[in-house]
């Protein structure tokens, strides 16, 4: 199964929200007009790259530990194309 979350369906959670968010490390953050794009890696052994789109100018430093959670947006679930 593959799960797709749009970048705007994710948000940065505060450190006090550690229990409701997933820890991630910031790879890059840039301001692109009305929003900011934040690229993070989630996981240790095989990290997954995730892009988050947030309103305004939020630019955590590269290497910063942040918490990511779903903001209530839609999730798309796809069945495998080559079932095993």
């Amino acid at each position: 199964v593959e799960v797709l979350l749009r970048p705007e369906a994710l948000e940065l959670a505060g450190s006090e929200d550690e229990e409701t968010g997933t820890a991630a490390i910031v790879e890059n953050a840039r301001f692109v007009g009305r929003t900011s794009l934040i690229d993070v890696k989630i996981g240790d052994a095989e990290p997954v790259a995730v892009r988050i789109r947030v309103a305004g100018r939020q630019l955590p430093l590269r290497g910063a530990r942040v918490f990511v959670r779903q903001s209530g947006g839609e999730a798309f679930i796809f069945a495998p194309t080559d079932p095993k």
Side-chain angles (χ1 to χ4, degrees), residues 9-25:
L10 299 171
E11 65 185 5
L12 294 180
S15 59
E16 67 278 359
D17 296 321
E18 184 173 343
E19 292 181 17
T20 61
T22 300
I25 301 298

Side-chain angles (χ1 to χ4, degrees), residues 19-82:
E19 292 181 17
T20 61
T22 300
I25 301 298
V26 175
E27 293 288 311
N28 191 28
R30 61 191 176 283
F31 183 62
V32 289
R34 298 179 127 180
T35 62
S36 296
L37 294 177
I38 304 168
D39 297 323
V40 299
K41 293 267 176 123
I42 296 176
D44 294 324
E46 293 183 36
V48 175
V50 175
R51 174 167 285 162
I52 306 163
R53 180 183 299 267
V54 295
R57 184 181 295 247
Q58 296 184 46
L59 302 173
L61 296 175
R62 183 183 177 116
R65 185 171 188 245
V66 296
F67 292 91
V68 178
R69 66 178 173 206
Q70 186 179 8
S71 63
E74 296 177 332
F76 302 95
I77 301 172
F78 299 95
T81 55
D82 185 17

Side-chain angles (χ1 to χ4, degrees), residues 1-4 75-79:
V1 173
E2 292 184 47
V3 178
L4 172 73
F76 302 95
I77 301 172
F78 299 95

